Amino acid sequence: GSSWVAAFLCFIILLTTAGNFLLILLIVTQRSLRNTSNYFLVSLFMSDLMVGLVVMPPAMLNQLYGRWVLRGDFCSLWYSFDVMCCSASILNLCIISLDRYLLIISPLKYKLRMTSCRALLLILATWTLAALASFLPIKMGWHELEFEVRSPNVTSRGDEDQCRLLVSLPYALVASCLTFFLPSTAISFTYCRILLAARKQAVQVASLASNVAAATTEETAPQVPHAPSQPAAGSESRRFTNKHSKKALKASLTLGILLGMFFVAWLPFFVTNVTQAVCGCVPAGFFDVLTWLGYCNSTMNPIIYPLFMRDFKRAMGKYLPCCRRSGE
């Protein structure tokens, strides 16, 4: 059984690392992808790449051996990186949603508002907040159930040492609010506003197409009483309306998939984390499964986001024939 678990976890680690690294390389090498919006994607893929390189391998060893096999000093360092990288990934998703919201709501003023300098400042603030929510409280011992430093931060279970982050209720509530509940509220709000804006634009485009078709019909009717352009104009209007309706539907499905994957990956973990801080009644195996489910969000991000972005499809089409057809 452990061999199958090891093979599956190795596959997740390789997929996470390769996917995020290749997309960072794609953005850096392709001039068409070097824009302000993609700065946030680079930051997201970098945080997910660190999850695959720094966080997942020790977690896999912990899972397979049932104990901490590395040096005890590395335990607190590892789960500090764990909290920081996962928090940075979630906060980057929040910044990406805000960036998309500004782009959709006011596209003409977007370049004036979202300059390269402001984008870099937002990315710096994201990583600073993630570091302050992880390294500082863990180093100071604020996360512990008792406010005293326990070295080497390894909990003992029987004869085997376990490296688990046991947090107090205040730290669980504050860290969860800063790194998940508030960002997830912002993500839901902005994506719902984007969806409403997309539907509103689809209705406006459909109304405009109908008015143009009606005006064209009225202009051509006195000159040619039985002109075949009338049904053609109506058909063109319906085609135009259906095209934008399909775009609105695609936007709805895209946002639904993004929100669904995000909440499926992280909501169970953070709810269980707060529950564990309250009662300490969550089984360790169940908590590990939810932790890996959250890690898998870093695996899905480099798959989901480029899948719905035409510029990425075109760039990837230079190397993959299947992406070339979908990008066209």
Side-chain angles (χ1 to χ4, degrees):
S2 60
S3 60
W4 286 104
V5 173
F8 177 73
L9 295 182
C10 285
F11 172 74
I12 294 296
I13 293 173
L14 290 175
L15 185 61
T16 304
T17 305
N20 288 285
F21 176 76
L22 290 177
L23 285 177
I24 293 174
L25 189 64
L26 189 67
I27 294 175
V28 172
T29 56
Q30 297 295 319
R31 183 176 299 178
S32 60
L33 296 178
R34 287 185 231 154
N35 53 58
T36 305
S37 292
N38 288 342
Y39 289 175
F40 303 112
L41 286 177
V42 170
S43 180
L44 172 66
F45 297 149
M46 183 62 68
S47 62
D48 291 336
L49 178 63
M50 291 181 65
V51 171
L53 287 176
V54 180
V55 178
M56 286 186 177
M60 180 184 69
L61 294 177
N62 227 12
Q63 191 70 32
L64 294 177
Y65 285 94
R67 60 187 177 88
W68 184 249
V69 296
L70 303 177
R71 287 181 55 184
D73 298 339
F74 290 157
C75 177
S76 60
L77 182 64
W78 168 66
Y79 58 62
S80 296
F81 271 104
D82 186 347
V83 176
M84 185 190 73
C85 296
C86 294
S87 300
S89 179
I90 297 172
L91 293 173
N92 279 314
L93 291 175
C94 179
I95 297 298
I96 289 171
S97 68
L98 293 175
D99 176 71
R100 296 291 182 266
Y101 175 72
L102 293 177
L103 181 61
I104 294 296
I105 297 301
S106 56
L108 298 179
K109 298 180 180 179
Y110 173 77
K111 288 190 176 181
L112 296 176
R113 293 178 177 177
M114 190 59 68
T115 60
S116 299
C117 182
R118 290 179 180 176
L120 293 176
L121 286 177
L122 283 174
I123 293 173
L124 179 62
T126 296
W127 283 93
T128 302
L129 180 59
L132 290 177
S134 56
F135 278 92
L136 179 62
I138 291 175
K139 181 67 175 178
M140 301 297 294
W142 299 342
H143 68 290
E144 297 179 351
L145 298 175
E146 299 175 359
F147 290 97
E148 57 182 8
V149 178
R150 289 195 302 260
S151 181
N153 289 324
V154 179
T155 59
S156 179
R157 294 193 175 185
D159 296 329
E160 296 179 339
D161 290 329
Q162 296 282 338
C163 181
R164 296 189 180 277
L165 182 61
L166 302 178
V167 298
S168 61
L169 182 59
Y171 175 80
L173 291 175
V174 173
S176 298
C177 287
L178 289 178
T179 61
F180 177 74
F181 291 110
L182 290 179
S184 63
T185 303
I187 291 172
S188 302
F189 172 77
T190 52
Y191 278 160
C192 288
R193 289 296 301 270
I194 290 173
L195 179 58
L196 293 176
R199 290 182 175 179
K200 183 179 179 180
Q201 290 177 4
V203 171
Q204 291 175 347
V205 169
S207 176
L208 180 62
S210 301
N211 293 335
V212 170
T216 304
T217 303
E218 291 177 359
E219 290 178 0
T220 56
Q223 300 175 2
V224 184
H226 301 287
S229 61
Q230 297 180 11
S235 175
E236 186 68 23
S237 173
R238 285 192 298 271
R239 242 188 335 262
F240 194 69
T241 303
N242 291 334
K243 177 182 177 181
H244 284 270
S245 298
K246 289 180 180 179
K247 284 187 176 181
L249 178 61
K250 183 180 179 181
S252 304
L253 293 176
T254 302
L255 297 180
I257 292 174
L258 293 177
L259 285 176
M261 290 299 301
F262 173 72
F263 282 107
V264 166
W266 281 120
L267 183 60
F269 170 80
F270 280 95
V271 172
T272 308
N273 189 39
V274 175
T275 305
Q276 173 71 10
V278 172
C279 65
C281 54
V282 179
F286 179 69
F287 193 82
D288 290 340
V289 171
L290 295 183
T291 302
W292 275 96
L293 182 62
Y295 292 162
C296 287
N297 187 242
S298 298
T299 309
M300 297 305 298
N301 284 335
I303 299 175
I304 293 177
Y305 277 81
L307 190 64
F308 298 106
M309 300 177 71
R310 188 179 302 170
D311 293 340
F312 273 89
K313 289 182 180 180
R314 289 174 178 171
M316 294 171 66
K318 297 179 181 180
Y319 309 102
L320 301 176
C322 58
C323 296
R324 185 182 302 120
R325 289 194 296 270
S326 60
E328 294 171 355

